[in-house]
């Protein structure tokens, strides 16, 4: 009763921020993301009749901090009567630092668990379970450009374009390797309860999604750039105006934004987005990759950059 699955993180261009149902972890707004290719999380799950408790190893180190969420996710997929499991997670990028590590982790976890138990749920059913553990994780089950909508008390997902149809490049500027100070779940609740901008954020999301959907269908880079940056800055405005305020940006994040702005002034096809952490993600056309990497590497406070194309959904690596 063992299986290993791999999933890639995804980056939201139109963001999920806020919950309509906290217990079911349902998003208050739809979102649109791109699944990455070269960043990954591999999760292996082994159920054992000898184990007396669940155990989680993150990059070979025993981890208690994430164990509760992992155990709850195992319950969702395998039921409360299940055996205990040893879960081993390996990622090739920093965990819990605003790089969507929970997305790839929970997407891989539900798939590995289902496979270890010989289950036959389809991708949408698994995405709904992953979404229950972490809203953005549902999107990492799917490839390329993915739209997530919430209707009738559940989420639905759709691939808008496969990665090969519009092979954009993503450059992640890592400005901090440590875990973020406030988790996104807690921060979303605070925003909904206290930011005067939150109702406007929710009300405008359908318009932003429609604009982004059309830009993706038309492969209109300038249009996608404009709506992505607008939606990102709007989400961070909601965070900043929460009480107490939630500020994930650092000096280095701002320096990276300035670098992207300067590149844009010189005609480079690139735009930025930022999630619940200080890392900046730049999205560009393939021909601009080298220029964007060089510019971001020279920004003050950037530790290193990671480059990725767009990639596939979660897959099984081995198991029974
Ligand atoms: O899936 P969560 O609960 O980690 O929330 C993700 C929130 C953002 O990354 C900021 C936005 C998004 O849509 O991924």
């Amino acid at each position: 009763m063992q299986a290993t699955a791999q999933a890639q993180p995804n980056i939201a261009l139109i963001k999920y921020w806020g919950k309509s149902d906290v217990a079911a972890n349902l998003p208050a707004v739809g979102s649109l993301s791109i699944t990455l290719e070269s960043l990954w999380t591999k999760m292996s799950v082994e159920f054992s009749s000898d184990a007396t408790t669940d155990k989680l190893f993150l990059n070979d180190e025993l981890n208690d901090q994430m164990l509760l969420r992992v155990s709850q996710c195992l319950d969702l997929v395998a039921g409360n009567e299940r055996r205990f499991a040893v879960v081993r997670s390996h990622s090739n990028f920093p965990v819990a630092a605003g790089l969507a590590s929970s997305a790839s982790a929970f997407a891989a976890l539900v798939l590995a668990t289902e496979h270890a138990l010989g289950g036959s749920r389809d991708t949408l059913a698994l995405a709904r379970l992953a979404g229950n553990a972490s809203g953005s994780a549902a999107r990492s089950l799917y490839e390329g450009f993915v739209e997530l909508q919430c209707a009738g008390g559940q989420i639905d997902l759709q691939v808008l374009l496969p990665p090969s149809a519009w092979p954009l490049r993503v450059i992640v500027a890592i400005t901090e390797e440590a875990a973020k100070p406030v988790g996104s779940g807690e921060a979303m609740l605070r925003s909904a309860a206290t930011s005067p901008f939150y109702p406007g954020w929710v009300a405008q999301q359908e318009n932003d999604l429609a604009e982004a959907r059309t830009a993706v269908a038309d492969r209109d880079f300038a249009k996608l750039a404009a709506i992505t940056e607008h939606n990102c800055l709007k989400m961070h405005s909601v965070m900043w105006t929460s009480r107490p305020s939630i500020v994930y940006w650092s000096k280095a994040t701002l320096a990276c934004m300035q670098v992207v702005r300067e590149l844009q002034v010189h005609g480079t096809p690139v735009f930025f987005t930022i999630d619940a952490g200080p890392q900046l993600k730049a999205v560009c056309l393939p021909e601009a990759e080298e220029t964007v990497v060089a510019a971001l590497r020279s920004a003050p406070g950037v530790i290193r950059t990671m480059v990725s194309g767009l990639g596939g959904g979660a897959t099984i690596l081995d198991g029974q």
Side-chain angles (χ1 to χ4, degrees):
M1 298 183 76
Q2 178 279 333
T4 305
Q6 173 173 330
Q8 289 67 243
N10 67 79
I11 307 288
L13 304 182
I14 303 298
K15 309 287 189 190
Y16 150 51
W17 195 252
K19 300 174 197 285
S20 64
D21 181 334
V22 177
N25 203 35
L26 286 175
V29 290
S31 53
L32 193 155
S33 62
I34 42 179
T35 302
L36 301 185
E37 182 186 32
S38 50
L39 278 64
W40 48 254
T41 300
K42 292 176 188 172
M43 275 277 178
S44 86
V45 179
E46 183 167 13
F47 289 98
S48 151
S49 49
D50 302 335
T52 52
T53 172
D54 290 331
K55 278 202 179 111
L56 170 67
F57 292 88
L58 279 190
N59 293 328
D60 297 322
E61 280 184 24
L62 197 60
N63 181 294
D64 285 336
Q65 225 183 334
M66 288 291 289
L67 182 62
L68 179 64
R69 279 181 79 191
V70 165
S71 291
Q72 285 168 342
C73 183
L74 291 171
D75 289 346
L76 278 175
V77 183
N80 295 331
E81 303 294 305
R82 65 178 173 84
R83 292 175 177 175
F84 289 112
V86 176
V87 176
R88 292 174 201 279
S89 170
H90 287 98
S91 291
N92 67 344
F93 62 96
V95 170
L99 272 175
S101 56
S102 67
S104 49
F106 287 107
L109 182 62
V110 291
L111 185 60
T113 306
E114 179 75 357
H115 205 74
L117 298 171
S120 60
R121 289 182 177 104
D122 64 11
T123 306
L124 179 59
L126 292 175
R128 286 177 175 156
L129 293 173
N132 195 299
S134 167
S136 56
R139 300 184 309 236
S140 273
L141 267 298
Y142 294 87
E143 62 169 355
F145 292 79
V146 179
E147 181 170 354
L148 182 152
Q149 279 290 356
C150 184
Q154 57 185 6
I155 56 167
D156 274 300
L157 293 106
Q158 203 191 337
V159 174
L160 300 179
L161 278 185
S164 58
W166 199 15
L168 301 181
R169 306 292 295 172
V170 180
I171 295 100
V172 182
I174 310 231
T175 61
E176 174 81 61
E177 310 257 12
K180 56 195 170 202
V182 192
S184 52
E186 183 192 333
M188 283 182 204
L189 299 187
R190 194 189 298 172
S191 288
T194 63
S195 170
F197 296 170
Y198 183 78
W201 157 256
V202 174
Q204 288 168 24
Q205 188 77 344
E206 274 310 311
N207 287 342
D208 290 8
L209 277 169
E211 210 171 311
R213 203 181 299 128
T214 310
V216 169
D218 297 345
R219 305 339 181 242
D220 185 336
F221 189 84
K223 190 171 180 166
L224 189 62
I227 191 61
T228 298
E229 290 189 358
H230 171 70
N231 189 267
C232 165
L233 294 174
K234 208 158 48 176
M235 177 183 77
H236 285 275
S237 305
V238 171
M239 296 171 177
W240 280 46
T241 50
S242 300
R243 298 178 75 167
S245 69
I246 303 151
V247 179
Y248 287 114
W249 299 358
S250 66
K251 228 159 99 177
T253 318
L254 280 161
C256 290
M257 280 167 75
Q258 206 148 16
V259 162
V260 172
R261 284 276 181 263
E262 271 162 31
L263 289 169
Q264 289 171 335
V265 167
H266 292 101
T268 308
V270 60
F271 61 83
F272 68 80
T273 189
I274 305 156
D275 292 295
Q279 334 295 354
L280 178 135
K281 290 105 184 191
V283 181
C284 68
L285 291 176
E287 61 268 27
E289 179 183 321
E290 269 179 46
T291 310
V292 175
V293 170
L296 283 173
R297 278 205 182 142
S298 65
V302 170
I303 301 166
R304 62 198 171 97
T305 52
M306 293 182 88
V307 179
S308 178
L310 307 194
T315 47
I316 283 292
L317 296 180
D318 68 61
Q320 57 207 30

